Amino acid sequence: MKRTLVTGGAGFLGSHLCDRLLRDGHDVLCVDNFFTGSKRNVAHLLGHPYFELMRHDVTFPLYVEVERIFNLACPASPVHYQHDPVQTTKTSVHGAINMLGLAKRVKARILQASTSEVYGDPEVHPQVEGYWGRVNPIGIRSCYDEGKRCAETLFFDYWRQHALDIKVVRIFNTYGPRMHPNDGRVVSNFIMQALRGEDITIYGDGSQTRSFCYVDDLIEVIVRMMESERGFTGPVNIGNPVEYTMLELAEKVIALVGGRSKLVHKPLPSDDPRQRQPDIGVARDRLGWQPTVALEDGLKETIGYFRRLLQDGAAA
């Protein structure tokens, strides 16, 4: 039984990861400061004998004894990470320093949940791991983009300087149950607007593209990466390479929800990437992974989750 720390463990991805690790026989310590995470996401685990929940902010050091560290702590949607941009950068950078220091002290393997945002508004399509990106260092998204880029730098410097056992994954757009209903991300936005019978907001002309990976597929590859052979550090792109325009996604959501929502166009936000699609060749070749859940099937599960939130009055 591995003693495993999940930072950001009460968040969207973290809570699903905790579920999976417990099923796999881990002793799980879930750490979260509940800025975007929610106790509701892990309430069903509180009675589990091998699950522990701790309120803690990773910008402060943590002293625990563990063998595996999944570092997922950081607000990941523009609405949340732009709310307090200085704190967002601190969470990525100080959080990485503190978790790397912990991993060094206890000789733990550590995985960094990085992001496709390290590629910025890319000139290479689809994005491969060797592409260095095109990021605005002083824009309103920079607190997140550059914070995550700096965290990757720290991970690789700890690997080179201290021979730390690191893993780095770059997560592309992911969706599914337990997404925050008001996080401003396109899937949750479209579903909540459709369920409430509101018009659906399309930024720009709707031709910009994203690739959407269902949460179960993503957790599977994160676990595979953590248990891959020592020395295979990544970074590894993880996401679904099937690309959709915003208009296509909106039409799918309206069709699945039903109702009479119309599309309303608004100006494109600053530094919003035009295209985002992962090349998952490395994940496929080295980890034997590729996503299996079709967008329509994943959307049905996600719509059902948000519908229950609205019925319970928990989506305010």
Side-chain angles (χ1 to χ4, degrees):
M1 179 177 287
K2 290 191 178 73
R3 293 168 298 171
T4 301
L5 167 64
V6 181
T7 72
F12 163 44
L13 295 180
S15 62
H16 284 280
L17 180 59
C18 288
D19 284 339
R20 169 63 185 270
L21 293 171
L22 289 167
R23 286 199 302 272
D24 288 352
H26 290 245
D27 185 349
V28 176
L29 172 59
C30 168
V31 166
D32 208 292
N33 70 349
F34 302 110
F35 173 56
T36 57
S38 169
K39 289 180 183 176
R40 186 187 305 111
N41 289 340
V42 292
H44 62 291
L45 299 177
L46 293 177
H48 196 290
Y50 295 111
F51 178 79
E52 183 179 353
L53 178 62
M54 177 190 295
R55 181 189 291 268
H56 180 81
D57 190 319
V58 295
T59 61
F60 297 94
L62 181 64
Y63 301 100
V64 292
E65 305 300 319
V66 292
E67 298 159 89
R68 294 282 189 268
I69 302 169
F70 291 87
N71 188 38
L72 275 63
C74 192
S77 72
V79 166
H80 291 136
Y81 67 63
Q82 290 169 11
H83 171 73
D84 187 345
V86 172
Q87 186 63 25
T88 296
T89 303
K90 283 182 177 179
T91 302
S92 286
V93 178
H94 291 186
I97 290 168
N98 288 329
M99 291 306 108
L100 287 162
L102 172 62
K104 182 186 171 194
R105 183 178 69 82
V106 301
K107 298 179 171 57
R109 174 174 285 188
I110 182 168
L111 180 143
Q112 168 68 0
S114 191
T115 171
S116 59
E117 297 294 336
V118 300
Y119 299 122
D121 191 4
E123 300 155 302
V124 171
H125 194 73
Q127 290 82 60
V128 295
E129 288 87 351
Y131 176 53
W132 291 354
R134 185 168 75 113
V135 175
N136 177 0
I138 58 170
I140 60 172
R141 301 171 70 104
S142 306
C143 58
Y144 184 68
D145 300 3
E146 296 289 24
K148 287 288 193 177
R149 285 164 69 97
C150 184
E152 286 197 18
T153 301
L154 286 161
F155 266 69
F156 279 90
D157 282 337
Y158 265 78
W159 173 61
R160 284 184 286 260
Q161 190 171 334
H162 302 296
L164 201 65
D165 190 0
I166 68 161
K167 306 284 180 182
V168 176
V169 292
R170 290 174 177 164
I171 298 171
F172 283 68
N173 287 59
T174 307
Y175 71 101
R178 300 184 202 158
M179 291 183 81
H180 196 292
N182 303 310
D183 66 3
R185 288 193 255 197
V186 65
V187 172
S188 45
N189 266 5
F190 286 2
I191 292 174
M192 291 300 290
Q193 288 173 334
L195 286 172
R196 288 170 169 152
E198 300 168 355
D199 291 338
I200 288 182
T201 306
I202 301 281
Y203 292 100
D205 61 7
S207 64
Q208 66 270 37
T209 65
R210 295 292 184 274
S211 308
F212 301 101
C213 186
Y214 189 63
V215 62
D216 290 356
D217 282 332
L218 195 91
I219 296 304
E220 172 65 30
V221 70
I222 287 176
V223 169
R224 289 191 192 192
M225 182 63 180
M226 178 60 100
E227 297 308 321
S228 63
E229 70 270 19
R230 186 184 177 102
F232 177 50
T233 59
V236 176
N237 289 338
I238 57 176
N240 194 319
V242 180
E243 200 175 13
Y244 293 91
T245 68
M246 297 299 95
L247 285 173
E248 289 171 332
L249 177 66
E251 287 160 3
K252 276 187 179 291
V253 168
I254 291 169
L256 290 169
V257 170
R260 300 181 179 178
S261 296
K262 295 183 176 62
L263 304 182
V264 175
H265 291 264
K266 291 190 177 179
L268 204 61
S270 176
D271 296 332
D272 194 52
R274 294 288 308 171
Q275 290 182 302
R276 190 52 62 69
Q277 181 190 21
D279 182 308
I280 61 166
V282 175
R284 189 184 293 116
D285 296 343
R286 298 296 300 269
L287 304 174
W289 174 86
Q290 60 184 23
T292 60
V293 179
L295 180 62
E296 188 164 316
D297 295 333
L299 285 175
K300 286 176 183 175
E301 293 294 323
T302 312
I303 289 166
Y305 170 75
F306 282 132
R307 201 186 296 274
R308 289 190 296 276
L309 276 190
L310 284 169
Q311 288 167 350
D312 295 343

